[in-house]
Amino acid sequence: MSAIEWSAAGSLAAWLWLLLCQGFFWRTDVRLPPSRDPARWPSVCVVIPARDEAAVLPASLPSVLAQDYPGRAEVFLVDDGSADGTGALARELARRCGGLPLTVGSPGEPPAGWTGKLWAVRHGIASARARDPEFLLLTDADIAHAPDSLRRLVAAACTGGFDLVSQMARLRTESRWERLVVPAFVYFFAQLYPFRRIGRAGTRTAAAAGGCVLLRAEAAERARVPDSIRHAVIDDVALARAVKRSGGRVWLGLADRVDSVRPYPRLGDLWSMVARSAYAQLRHSPVLLAGTVAGLALVYLVPPVATVAGAVTGNAAAAVSGAAAWLVMSGTYAPMLRHYGQPLWLAPLLPFTASLYLLMTVDSAVRHHRGRGAAWKGRTYARPEVLPDEG
C-alpha cells in the first residue's frame, strides 16, 4: 500500500471510531433534562463579569433582569475596569427596565496569578454570599436569556440532583464567516467533551459553557472556586473539572433559548476568539501541539486530499477510503448545521474550516512563545508556569 492509501485508511478508521465510540458527540439532542418544579424555589444570585460590554448590554442585560423566577433572585454585575461606561449603562438599564434588583460593583485590577474574568467572578460571588444564595448563575455580559431560562435551569438542577448545570448558548451565525466557523466551533467542542459523558456519573469528562452556568453555592465552596482555578484562561472547563473532582455532578447541553448577542463579523474577530486560548487547551505543550496538528491533518485534511489524489492518479483504494471518510465526516457535521439553521452543503467544507482552526492553534502557540500570552480586551495574562501553585 502507498502512503496515501495508508493515510486514507487511517483517516477512515479514525472517523468510524469517532462516529461510534466518542460518546455520540455529533448528536444535538442533549438538551435540558426533564424536570419538575421544586416544592420550594431556592434563592439565586446572578453574577455577570463585564469588561467593556456597553455595546452588547442593551441586548442582554434586560433579559436577565426580566427573568420570570418564582423564588428570590437578584443580579450582581461586576464592572471589570471598563473604559466604555459599562457600569453606568447597567444602572441605567436597570432603572429603565426594572425587574430583578441589580447591584453593580468593581473589583479593581486583578492581582498576580488571577485572570481578569475570574477575579471579577470572585468579587461577584463574594458580594452575593451576603445574600446566602443556594444557587449562583454565572453568565456572560453578551448572553441573552429567555424569560423562563433561570426557572428551567433551577428545576433541572433540583430534579436531577446536579451541582452544575450549563447550557451552550447559541452563538450568532449572521455573517458569512460566522456561518462557516461558529457551528464548527461547537462541533469541535462537543468532539473534545461529549455532552453525554459529561452528565454521566462515574466519568472523568467534565466541561461547561461559561456563558450559562448554574452552580450550587455549596458546591462552589466545596470545590474552592474560583480560587482553585484562578489562573485558568479556559475558565468554564476548569470550573466544571473542579466541581466534578470535588464529588459534584455536572451536566452540559445545547441551549434553545439562551443566545449570545456578540457579533463576530470578520474572520479576524473569530480568529482572535480561538487563538487567545487554543494553546492553553494544549497545556502550552509543544508535544501536544505537534500531535494536534498531525491529528487534525489526518482526520480532516487527508479525506479530501486522498479523494482527489486517488481519482487523479487512478488509485481506487485511496479515493474510496478518502471519500468514505469525507462522507462520514460530513454526516456527523450535518446535525450541528441543522441546529444552527445552516444549509447542509456547508458540511463537505468542514476540512477547509478545520484547516483554519489548525492555523489558529498554531498562531496561538506562536503568540504564547513570543511572550504575548493570552490576550483579551487589552489585558495579557501571564504564562501559567510563572503563576503560583493552586495549593
Side-chain angles (χ1 to χ4, degrees):
M1 290 177 64
S2 64
I4 191 67
E5 288 176 294
W6 277 112
S7 299
S11 184
L12 177 57
W15 274 110
L16 291 175
W17 182 86
L18 288 169
L19 175 69
L20 301 173
C21 304
Q22 187 60 1
F24 296 101
F25 76 94
W26 42 271
R27 294 182 57 173
T28 56
D29 57 350
V30 181
R31 310 297 171 88
L32 277 177
S35 61
R36 59 184 180 277
D37 289 352
R40 179 188 65 82
W41 288 94
S43 59
V44 182
C45 284
V46 182
V47 176
I48 307 175
R51 180 173 172 83
D52 293 333
E53 298 287 14
V56 297
L57 275 186
S60 61
L61 184 59
S63 74
V64 177
L65 299 175
Q67 285 302 296
D68 178 20
Y69 185 67
R72 179 168 59 88
E74 59 182 298
V75 181
F76 293 84
L77 184 140
V78 184
D79 183 4
D80 182 17
S82 299
D84 65 351
T86 289
L89 176 59
R91 293 186 183 94
E92 174 62 19
L93 289 170
R95 186 190 66 79
R96 275 194 273 138
C97 300
L100 300 181
L102 172 71
T103 299
V104 177
S106 179
E109 283 298 307
W114 282 84
T115 59
K117 179 181 176 181
L118 285 171
W119 180 244
V121 169
R122 186 182 192 274
H123 181 85
I125 290 177
S127 300
R129 279 184 177 141
R131 308 295 198 270
D132 194 27
E134 294 167 75
F135 282 93
L136 300 163
L137 175 62
L138 310 180
T139 186
D140 288 342
D142 66 323
I143 301 299
H145 294 257
D148 63 347
S149 176
L150 181 57
R151 176 198 289 258
R152 296 180 67 220
L153 285 165
V154 171
C158 292
T159 302
F162 295 107
D163 295 285
L164 184 153
V165 174
S166 179
Q167 288 186 291
M168 177 73 72
R170 190 185 293 267
L171 306 176
R172 277 176 41 121
T173 51
E174 295 182 14
S175 73
R176 176 183 59 186
W177 287 110
E178 286 171 340
R179 290 192 290 272
L180 183 68
V181 175
V182 163
F185 176 83
V186 182
Y187 173 86
F188 293 144
F189 186 94
Q191 192 177 85
L192 286 172
Y193 306 103
F195 296 162
R196 279 177 170 74
R197 289 184 183 171
I198 291 169
R200 193 180 305 152
T203 64
R204 296 181 60 185
T205 306
C212 179
V213 178
L214 183 74
L215 176 64
R216 287 186 190 271
E218 62 179 8
E221 292 185 13
R222 187 171 62 244
R224 297 188 306 110
V225 297
D227 296 61
S228 64
I229 58 171
R230 60 189 179 274
H231 64 277
V233 175
I234 310 176
D235 51 88
D236 42 13
V237 175
L239 170 62
R241 285 174 176 166
V243 171
K244 203 162 193 179
R245 278 199 305 264
S246 66
R249 293 191 61 199
V250 175
W251 185 93
L252 171 64
L254 295 171
D256 290 312
R257 301 170 67 207
V258 178
D259 303 298
S260 172
V261 298
R262 190 184 305 283
Y264 294 97
R266 298 175 297 273
L267 176 60
D269 302 316
L270 291 157
W271 192 291
S272 296
M273 178 190 74
V274 175
R276 74 183 181 91
S277 60
Y279 198 41
Q281 178 69 49
L282 301 176
R283 293 175 290 192
H284 303 98
S285 166
V287 174
L288 289 179
L289 174 66
T292 298
V293 169
L296 285 172
L298 174 67
V299 174
Y300 290 99
L301 305 187
V302 164
V305 170
T307 302
V308 174
V312 169
T313 62
N315 190 329
V320 169
S321 296
W326 200 356
L327 181 63
V328 175
M329 179 200 313
S330 301
T332 62
Y333 190 37
M336 189 61 69
L337 288 173
R338 281 198 297 268
H339 173 67
Y340 272 94
Q342 299 306 305
L344 294 184
W345 60 260
L346 288 173
L349 298 183
L350 186 57
F352 172 72
T353 307
S355 70
L356 292 177
Y357 276 91
L358 187 154
L359 294 174
M360 293 174 195
T361 303
V362 172
D363 183 45
S364 179
V366 170
R367 296 183 188 194
H368 173 81
H369 288 293
R370 286 180 176 173
R372 291 159 60 188
W376 184 243
K377 293 191 176 180
R379 208 182 250 146
T380 300
Y381 302 131
R383 296 184 183 189
E385 59 262 30
V386 302
L387 298 177
D389 184 43
E390 288 183 9

